[in-house]
Amino acid sequence: MNLKDPEAMTAVVGNVLRYGVLISAIIIVFGTIELIAASGNSDVLGNIVYNPDKIPHGNFDVSLSGLVIGLVGLQPYALIELGAIVLIATPVSRVLISVFLFAAEGDKLYVVVTAVVLFLLLFSILVTPFVPGFQA
Amino acid sequence: MVIIEFLLILFISSIFAGILGSIVGVGGGVVIIPVLTLFLGVDIHFAIGASIVAIIGTSSGAATTYVKDKLTNLRVGMFLELATAAGAICGAAIAAYINSVALELIFGSILLVMLVPTVMKIGEDIPKSPELKGLSKRLGLSGSYTETDGTVVNYNATRPEVGLAGMAVAGVLSGLLGIGGGAFKVLSMDLAMKLPMKVSTTTSNFMIGVTAAASAGIYFARGDVNPVIIAPVALGILIGATIGARLLIRSRNPTIRKAFALVLAVTALQMILSSAGIKL
């Protein structure tokens, strides 16, 4: 792969999106099949109870440790959450690759613009969830 | 309702939402939120969490096609995303202290008013391109794409500062309410910057994914991204967006504008009704 060729970089962007979406979809399909096999005929109400007074609001674990344990056990919820995380990562990786895309075109202004967008994005995803004021 | 029924209803509505969203440059929340809250009795917070996933799915699912056909203007998108991302973080920061009822009424009304210039341009196929000058020229905000009949459309953006202001509003709105961002993005590019409709909706399509990803961390940590709800939504949306993107490539700008005007009207009404306590 030639990082100096804009056409090649555009192809890379296209592939990252295609595979990101595909991998996410496959993981979610597996999780959904498991979910249906395990409890497809039970009432959905227990799964959509919203608890306004506690975090997380739903009856599912969103902690990293909970996710890892769930994935080791191939539990449907953990698989679906992993699929969602892969999906959320696709636009982020697109911005990341765009930094290189503009660098390949020799466009310094947009390397800076895109890098700032990437910084704001990562700050928002990784930092703000742990700032108390943001936890509405 | 049993789980399998619930999944099936959401899956099918999400395919429809993905088709519509990918064509008009919004996230599909306009379809998914009412299906969840009205029809399936899901809490609005879970509905907004599902909408965030739907937005990212619509954006990434359709982008595969839009990148290849060079419809999305990456420079316009990145430049405007500066304002949107910053706006989204500000919106999320003040969300706990703001009366969202008043906001929904204000922004719903603004969207409703914007329907007038949108409808007035309804016959416009390719806008008369303004001369590339000033800030637009320095930022390289121009581009070209090819219609399916082989016509090459060259365009230049104008008034990027107005577009940037509109995008900051779109960002704050996404961060605060989790909805309505896409409509503001398309309006900023269409009405202020005078880009061709296809470029406006596909560039908005790129941007909404980035903006939604920015707030996804917070919704995830709060536990608003419910696996049972987002699984059928993500799968349906991805299928719908793939179909929608192919339809957009073959459609002319006036058709896309008509679809957008419809979505704009419904989004505005939803926001106004929601401020009146009717959560659609």
Side-chain angles (χ1 to χ4, degrees), chain B residues 18-81:
Chain B
I19 295 175
L20 196 63
S22 56
I23 293 175
V24 304
V26 303
V30 68
V31 175
I32 289 177
I33 292 180
V35 168
L36 279 167
T37 56
L38 280 187
F39 196 60
L40 298 172
V42 169
D43 187 275
I44 182 75
H45 296 89
F46 281 152
I48 292 175
S51 173
I52 294 284
V53 172
I55 294 168
I56 300 174
T58 309
S59 180
S60 296
T64 317
T65 307
Y66 296 157
V67 165
K68 202 180 76 204
D69 282 80
K70 297 196 170 69
L71 269 167
T72 304
N73 190 315
L74 202 59
R75 279 189 174 75
V76 171
M78 278 304 173
F79 165 64
L80 295 175
E81 196 56 42

Side-chain angles (χ1 to χ4, degrees), chain A residues 44 47 57 90 105 107 110 124, chain B residues 1 60 75 139 214 222 226:
Chain A
V44 76
N47 303 76
H57 294 306
T90 53
E105 291 181 9
D107 192 335
Y110 273 90
S124 187
Chain B
M1 185 179 293
S60 296
R75 279 189 174 75
L139 290 165
R222 278 184 203 153
N226 187 325

Side-chain angles (χ1 to χ4, degrees), chain A residues 7 10 13-14 17-18 21 24-26 28-29 32 35-36 39-45 47-51 54-60 62 76-77 80-81 84-85 87-88 90-92 94-95 98 101-102 105 107 109-110 113-114 116-117 120-121 123-125 128-129 133-136, chain B residues 1-7 40-43 45-46 53 56-57 59-61 63-64 67-68 70 72 74-76 78-79 81-82 85-86 89 92-93 95-97 138-141 206 209-211 213-218 220-232 234-235 238:
Chain A
E7 286 291 324
T10 307
V13 173
L17 287 166
R18 192 172 299 118
V21 162
S24 156
I26 290 170
I28 296 177
V29 165
T32 312
L35 177 72
I36 293 171
S39 48
N41 284 320
S42 44
D43 196 283
V44 76
L45 273 180
N47 303 76
I48 53 171
V49 176
Y50 181 81
N51 313 303
K54 73 176 181 76
I55 300 274
H57 294 306
N59 294 332
F60 46 88
V62 290
Y77 274 22
I80 294 168
E81 280 173 17
I85 291 171
L87 192 62
I88 292 166
T90 53
V92 184
R94 186 173 177 194
V95 175
S98 299
L101 181 65
F102 286 125
E105 291 181 9
D107 192 335
L109 175 65
Y110 273 90
V113 168
T114 310
V116 173
V117 170
L120 289 173
L121 194 54
F123 173 81
S124 187
I125 295 174
T128 56
F134 283 84
Q135 298 257 1
Chain B
M1 185 179 293
V2 298
I3 287 183
I4 195 150
E5 230 180 308
F6 182 87
L7 296 176
L40 298 172
V42 169
D43 187 275
H45 296 89
F46 281 152
V53 172
I56 300 174
S59 180
S60 296
T64 317
V67 165
K68 202 180 76 204
K70 297 196 170 69
T72 304
L74 202 59
R75 279 189 174 75
V76 171
M78 278 304 173
F79 165 64
E81 196 56 42
L82 283 175
I89 294 175
Y97 316 100
R138 256 179 294 154
L139 290 165
L141 303 181
F206 159 62
V210 180
T211 315
S215 46
I218 293 170
F220 208 89
R222 278 184 203 153
D224 285 352
V225 181
N226 187 325
V228 176
I229 300 171
I230 62 124
L235 295 176
L238 287 173

